[in-house]
Amino acid sequence: MSDQPVTNLAQSRLASGWSAATASWLPAVILLLATIMVWEAAVRIFAISAFIIPAPSEIARSLVAQWGTLMQATLVTAGEILFGFLVSVVVGIAIALIIVRFDWLGRALYPLVVLFQNVPKVALAPIFILWFGYGLAPKIGLILVIAFFPVTLSMLAGMQSVDRSLLSLMNSVGASQTQILFRIRVPHSLPNLMAGTKIAATLSVIGAIVGEFAGASDGLGYVIQFASTQLDTALVFAALFLVSVLGIAFYYAAEILERIVVPWAPKFSQS
């Protein structure tokens, strides 16, 4: 039997996937390039000082000139984001499981979680520095308090939206609450959970930068603060660009994980 039809089918699917990806990204790329061109032209036409708004070409030159420093800072910040994100997901899942499994504890814990979420996180940064020093711990703590909430809330929404008839069926066959939790509620909540992790991924970037603003000797947040004291606006924008790249990278990493873990979940369509 010839493998040619199979090869042709694989090539057709690959071409179709590439075309879909191109169609999805192309409008964003065009808009980005147009924005950069307008920005560059506006700075030159109106002779805007680089101290106020540097041209994209100036930002690119600063990015190249400080590449080594910026890459080192990016790796430090990326490590903080990754570690903080993982801790946030674990804690968020644990809180959601406790709230659903232990009804009395959930009624007491959930309002406290919501209340804590309303505390300004920037105000917690100096407290964490006071408690944990200037190392990695305060950054992880700040990422945790910022990013765990969407994970908890999304998973709770998924676990509490299970069909009541299915729960009644499980109760009728003598299933325990723990069995119902892990065999019915948790699998049902996975699409919601993965949506929450995508939000947590972007919030983790914010938490890392805020933590570095409060106290750090390395990282992109430190570079932004240092550059601002030196009135090097181009370097500030270069560091902000890398922060944005990190945010996009972590978001799409979470989206890829979602496609692997819950391939049946509905996906956002741009068509």
Side-chain angles (χ1 to χ4, degrees):
M1 182 177 179
S2 175
D3 292 335
Q4 188 64 30
V6 177
T7 303
N8 291 340
L9 179 60
Q11 290 175 346
S12 176
R13 289 182 176 178
L14 181 61
S16 176
W18 175 256
S19 299
T22 302
S24 175
W25 281 95
L26 189 58
V29 172
I30 292 174
L31 179 60
L32 177 61
L33 292 177
T35 302
I36 292 174
M37 292 172 63
V38 171
W39 180 356
E40 183 79 28
V43 169
R44 295 184 181 277
I45 291 172
F46 297 104
I48 301 175
S49 172
F51 165 71
I52 300 174
I53 301 180
S57 57
E58 288 291 331
I59 298 172
R61 277 194 287 270
S62 180
L63 187 63
V64 172
Q66 301 290 336
W67 182 255
T69 300
L70 289 170
M71 284 301 99
Q72 171 65 25
T74 301
L75 290 175
V76 171
T77 302
E80 295 169 356
I81 295 169
L82 179 60
F83 192 19
F85 169 71
L86 294 176
V87 172
S88 300
V89 170
V90 171
V91 172
I93 291 174
I95 293 175
L97 291 174
I98 290 172
I99 290 175
V100 172
R101 176 61 183 86
F102 304 102
D103 186 57
W104 61 272
L105 184 58
R107 289 197 300 269
L109 184 60
Y110 184 73
L112 297 178
V113 171
V114 175
L115 178 65
F116 182 72
Q117 187 63 21
N118 291 319
V119 176
K121 304 305 182 293
V122 176
L124 294 176
I127 297 176
F128 285 175
I129 294 293
L130 181 65
W131 288 350
F132 305 118
Y134 288 91
L136 181 63
K139 284 83 169 178
I140 302 304
L142 200 58
I143 293 172
L144 170 62
V145 299
I146 290 176
F148 86 93
F149 188 70
V151 176
T152 297
L153 200 62
S154 298
M155 191 171 186
L156 277 176
M159 289 192 292
Q160 293 174 345
S161 63
V162 176
D163 190 346
R164 294 296 175 185
S165 62
L166 184 57
L167 296 179
S168 298
L169 176 62
M170 293 295 292
N171 286 321
S172 68
V173 298
S176 67
Q177 291 302 311
T178 301
Q179 289 175 322
I180 293 174
L181 176 64
F182 287 103
R183 294 186 181 183
I184 302 297
R185 292 188 184 274
V186 170
H188 186 270
S189 71
L190 287 179
N192 299 72
L193 172 61
M194 297 311 300
T197 59
K198 290 192 289 186
I199 300 173
T202 57
L203 292 178
S204 297
V205 179
I206 298 173
I209 298 302
V210 171
E212 290 173 353
F213 279 169
S217 59
D218 205 348
L220 290 173
Y222 171 78
V223 171
I224 292 171
Q225 277 204 321
F226 177 79
S228 64
T229 62
Q230 303 299 309
L231 305 181
D232 191 348
T233 312
L235 181 57
V236 172
F237 273 83
L240 287 173
F241 168 74
L242 292 176
V243 171
S244 301
V245 170
L246 281 179
I248 293 172
F250 275 94
Y251 176 85
Y252 280 103
E255 187 166 271
I256 292 171
L257 181 63
E258 178 187 30
R259 293 177 182 273
I260 295 172
V261 175
V262 284
W264 66 87
K267 304 297 186 296
F268 172 72
S269 175
Q270 296 175 321
S271 58

